[in-house]
Amino acid sequence: EGTTNREMWQAQTLCDAVLHPDTKEPVPVMFRVCAFAPANIPICLGMLMAPPTLFNVVFWQWVNQSYNAGFNYCNRNATSSLDNKSLAQMYLGATTLSVTTAVGLGQALKAAPLSAATAAFLGRIVPFVAVAGSNAFNVSVMRSGELSTGIPVKDEDGNVRGISKAAAKSAVTQAAITRMVMPAPVLLLPPVFMQVFDKVVKLPPRMRAGVEFTVIIACVAGALPAAIALFPQEASISVDKLEPEFHNLTSKDHTPIRTLTFNKGV
């Protein structure tokens, strides 16, 4: 009483932004969806604008995968759990893959018979290849518990109708695809844009850095939220794609259930 419909929707939006859908506990501020784009701005700037020395490559890939691991864990489907030892092993594996891919590709480019301009351009693409592959690996291993135990699937009334490994596979697959698509516009568009820009406009180094800085921020602000929204967090799946025990379910009015929903995570 005394609360308007608009205020109720605002409260619901706030809860959705802050609380984990499974545990109903607050997600740490840095790992909330609303913080994802701002947190990635310095990471993307470091990967794209820092000189590609061995230290910089290793450092920024480690920072990126560390943040991704925390984000994936905090926004996973929390109905399955992993012990700390497993989490540490998975984090180490994802970080190692990212760093070795970036360093290995960088060294391969140096050894390849390429012109300086071509090598410099391809060198700017290396972060995307390393990030895309390790992102998919990161989210897959950090959420491997869901694949082994399954996740709850619900009917349209919100009632849990069982635990499904098929739904877990769909959830993790969608999350992995999102993680592979996500860095593409952020890590590919700025190098391409700046290569074309440099041919058209000649600017002093500081002014050029300012232009590149602005382009990267614009890509992060526009592309990351769009990539996260590629699949809905509350996903639906046909019962025909689930285990046999879900094929003949009926609703409270005894009509056959055709689809069930699950928390995909982010």
Side-chain angles (χ1 to χ4, degrees), residues 114-262:
L114 300 172
S115 66
T118 301
F121 174 70
L122 292 178
R124 293 298 185 182
I125 299 178
V126 166
F128 165 72
V129 178
V131 168
S134 54
N135 276 3
F137 178 79
N138 193 321
V139 72
S140 298
V141 296
M142 292 300 288
R143 297 178 58 178
S144 61
E146 299 172 35
L147 297 174
S148 60
T149 63
I151 59 175
V153 288
K154 303 176 183 179
D155 58 26
E156 60 181 5
D157 297 316
N159 300 313
V160 175
R161 304 304 294 259
I163 304 295
S164 170
K165 292 183 180 181
K169 182 179 179 181
S170 178
V172 175
T173 299
Q174 290 180 25
I177 292 173
T178 299
R179 291 300 187 280
M180 293 180 70
V181 171
M182 189 179 296
V186 177
L187 297 180
L188 292 181
L189 288 182
V192 172
F193 176 86
M194 293 308 299
Q195 186 181 44
V196 175
F197 182 85
D198 288 339
K199 293 179 179 179
V200 178
V201 182
K202 300 299 181 181
L203 292 177
R206 289 187 179 181
M207 292 183 66
R208 184 194 182 281
V211 173
E212 186 174 11
F213 181 88
T214 303
V215 171
I216 292 172
I217 291 179
C219 288
V220 171
L224 292 185
I228 292 176
L230 192 61
F231 298 103
Q233 182 169 352
E234 194 67 21
S236 62
I237 187 170
S238 170
V239 294
D240 295 335
K241 297 180 180 180
L242 298 176
E243 292 83 349
E245 59 263 33
F246 297 101
H247 292 180
N248 298 311
L249 295 177
T250 58
S251 62
K252 58 185 179 182
D253 59 0
H254 305 295
T255 58
I257 293 177
R258 302 299 182 190
T259 61
L260 293 171
T261 62
F262 58 90

Side-chain angles (χ1 to χ4, degrees), residues 27-50:
V27 175
V29 174
M30 281 297 295
F31 299 118
R32 294 174 188 171
V33 175
C34 59
F36 192 76
N40 269 273
I41 288 175
I43 296 174
C44 292
L45 290 174
M47 286 193 289
L48 290 174
M49 297 187 69

